[in-house]
Amino acid sequence: MSKVHVFNAGPCLLPQEVYDKAVEAIKDFAGTGVSVLSISHRTKEWDAIMDETRALWKELLHIPEDYEVIFLGGGASLEFLYVPMNFLEHKAGYLDTGVWAHKALKEAQGLGEASAVACSADKNYSYIPKGYEIPSDLDYFHITTNNTIYGTEIKEDMDCPVPLIADMSSDIMSRPVDVSKYAMIYGGAQKNVGPAGVAFCIIKKDALGKVSRYIPTMLDYRVHIDKLSMFNTPPVFSIYIMHETLKWIKSMGGVEAVHKLDVQKADALYSEIDRNPLFVGTAAKEDRSIMNVCFVMAPGYENLQDEFLAFAKAHKIIGIKGHRSVGGFRASIYNACTLEDVQALVDCMKEFETMHA
Ligand SMILES: *Cc1c(COP(=O)(O)O)cnc(C)c1O
């Protein structure tokens, strides 16, 4: 099979080594003679995987001592509910930078007072709002660091006068993060650190326990921290694949090394978008994401959109159709996507130019 270049937004491409490990573990997990799909999660072999997975998170992101890492089912979308359940007492503020941010805000509004502190809906979320003031009486301020659908990204860890909570579903492990600036960081694994089926949460322990509401057992972060993410049966296979993906990131030289490659890939693709007269980027230049690159046909060439998709597909480039709310194209270039994959797309855009410009 000749190589297919996969630019899916999520579930995403994972490294070949990880696929190979998955196949192996399905047949025989850690030399136990039992499949990873069938082992008990109450065994020392599984405990070792949980311990190592937590340790890898802490090591790769230099997570300070007073934080805990937990793994939960339900995806990032259930975290939208967990967050206000565990942190909202009086009032919360959200930065409304797109569909995911908006959905997170909606869950908080179902539980109490929450509103958008700033919003970029006026230009279809093509930029990150700036110059807004975060009220100092909020229980927390929630941001979405990478807006997967629009290709915008908050690339710096902001100073915040109140506890800062971030959905980092689609840019986790793509850049070094100063975890100490956040009360909590969470996301679904399937954008950059594993398969669908598990969410990660990095939580500052003393930020919890400040709300007076009744928190249902399964929605209480403290329960999952106390039980080391095994209050009930964890998503064993998804966690196993996340473990292997984190090991791969470490083998690549860690987040700092991976970040350099990610920037290189993004630069290569944005340069071509800016150079090629057939295409134009949709995100504000200063806010361009290094994970999701969004672009459309340039004015005058709009009628070529379907033809370019078909042309790309014939060149084994798949997953570049833009989200329906933006249109055009989106290339998701997460960690496992290589510079060769990006180069294949760039070459394809160049060839298409010679046919039409
Ligand atoms: C994909 C995505 C989500 C939703 O994740 P699920 O695990 O499908 O619930 C939330 N936030 C961001 C930024 C995403 O990219």
Side-chain angles (χ1 to χ4, degrees):
M1 195 178 75
S2 74
K3 194 171 175 342
V4 176
H5 305 285
V6 181
F7 294 95
N8 287 339
C12 68
L13 188 68
L14 293 172
Q16 187 58 46
E17 294 94 310
V18 173
Y19 297 136
D20 294 341
K21 283 283 191 176
V23 171
E24 204 177 288
I26 285 178
K27 292 180 181 163
D28 177 3
F29 169 66
T32 56
V34 182
S35 167
V36 69
L37 301 178
S38 308
I39 51 147
S40 165
H41 59 290
R42 308 287 178 196
T43 54
K44 70 176 191 325
E45 287 86 0
W46 181 254
D47 278 342
I49 295 291
M50 291 296 279
D51 288 345
E52 276 173 34
T53 309
R54 273 189 293 272
L56 280 162
W57 273 96
K58 290 180 182 176
E59 181 184 345
L60 289 167
L61 288 179
H62 313 290
I63 299 175
E65 286 285 326
D66 51 340
Y67 286 71
E68 210 37 85
V69 183
I70 54 174
F71 312 114
L72 302 170
S77 298
L78 190 56
E79 299 306 318
F80 296 165
L81 175 62
Y82 268 103
V83 166
M85 194 64 100
N86 285 268
F87 292 98
L88 177 56
E89 180 73 4
H90 302 292
K91 204 157 103 184
Y94 281 67
L95 188 62
D96 184 4
T97 49
V99 165
W100 297 120
H102 201 81
K103 284 186 172 169
L105 169 60
K106 183 168 168 283
E107 292 304 296
Q109 286 171 334
L111 288 182
E113 193 183 337
S115 57
V117 169
C119 173
S120 51
D122 60 333
K123 290 184 183 162
N124 198 26
Y125 296 119
S126 60
Y127 69 103
I128 301 289
K130 292 166 195 81
Y132 55 86
E133 202 166 316
I134 303 166
S136 58
D137 62 344
L138 299 176
D139 297 322
Y140 64 87
F141 181 54
H142 180 282
I143 59 174
T144 310
T145 51
N146 187 65
N147 298 283
T148 324
I149 293 172
Y150 315 89
T152 62
E153 186 176 12
I154 300 170
K155 291 172 215 159
E156 263 149 43
D157 305 307
M158 63 172 73
D159 292 314
C160 186
V162 299
L164 180 62
I165 297 182
D167 173 358
M168 291 197 189
S169 291
S170 52
D171 63 347
I172 192 75
M173 298 282 176
S174 72
R175 66 172 174 94
V177 172
D178 180 355
V179 175
S180 72
K181 292 212 165 160
Y182 300 84
M184 175 175 177
I185 293 168
Y186 70 88
Q190 74 275 17
K191 304 286 169 55
N192 215 12
V193 287
V198 64
F200 57 87
C201 306
I202 303 165
I203 307 174
K204 190 173 189 190
K205 280 180 281 185
D206 70 10
L208 292 170
K210 298 193 171 149
V211 294
S212 53
R213 72 163 48 81
Y214 165 72
I215 305 178
T217 312
M218 270 298 282
L219 295 183
D220 190 337
Y221 282 136
R222 291 168 301 180
V223 170
H224 297 292
I225 289 173
D226 282 350
K227 298 291 181 191
L228 300 172
S229 307
M230 298 223 283
F231 171 74
N232 66 329
T233 316
V236 174
F237 189 59
S238 297
I239 292 174
Y240 180 74
I241 304 300
M242 182 164 74
H243 170 262
E244 293 306 315
T245 308
L246 297 176
K247 269 179 31 189
W248 173 80
I249 294 173
K250 186 174 168 179
S251 77
M252 294 287 288
V255 173
E256 291 76 6
V258 161
H259 175 68
K260 286 204 183 100
L261 284 174
D262 287 336
V263 169
Q264 227 185 326
K265 287 182 292 177
D267 283 349
L269 191 45
Y270 284 121
S271 303
E272 176 59 16
I273 290 167
D274 292 342
R275 185 208 62 78
N276 193 316
L278 262 57
F279 302 98
V280 55
T282 51
K285 282 195 180 168
E286 69 276 19
D287 299 323
R288 281 174 163 180
S289 166
I290 61 166
M291 294 277 99
N292 310 97
V293 177
C294 296
F295 55 107
V296 293
M297 298 307 310
Y301 296 105
E302 290 94 340
N303 59 332
L304 293 176
Q305 176 165 320
D306 291 345
E307 194 182 326
F308 180 66
L309 275 178
F311 185 75
K313 196 171 171 206
H315 286 73
K316 299 195 182 300
I317 288 166
I318 67 158
I320 60 162
K321 194 172 165 52
H323 190 271
R324 60 192 176 281
S325 59
V326 179
F329 315 103
R330 169 178 55 178
S332 296
I333 52 173
Y334 300 118
N335 289 349
C337 168
T338 63
L339 194 54
E340 291 71 42
D341 292 319
V342 170
Q343 197 55 51
L345 175 55
V346 167
D347 290 346
C348 184
M349 291 164 77
K350 287 191 165 133
E351 201 180 326
F352 199 64
E353 179 195 1
T354 62
M355 293 160 59
H356 294 284

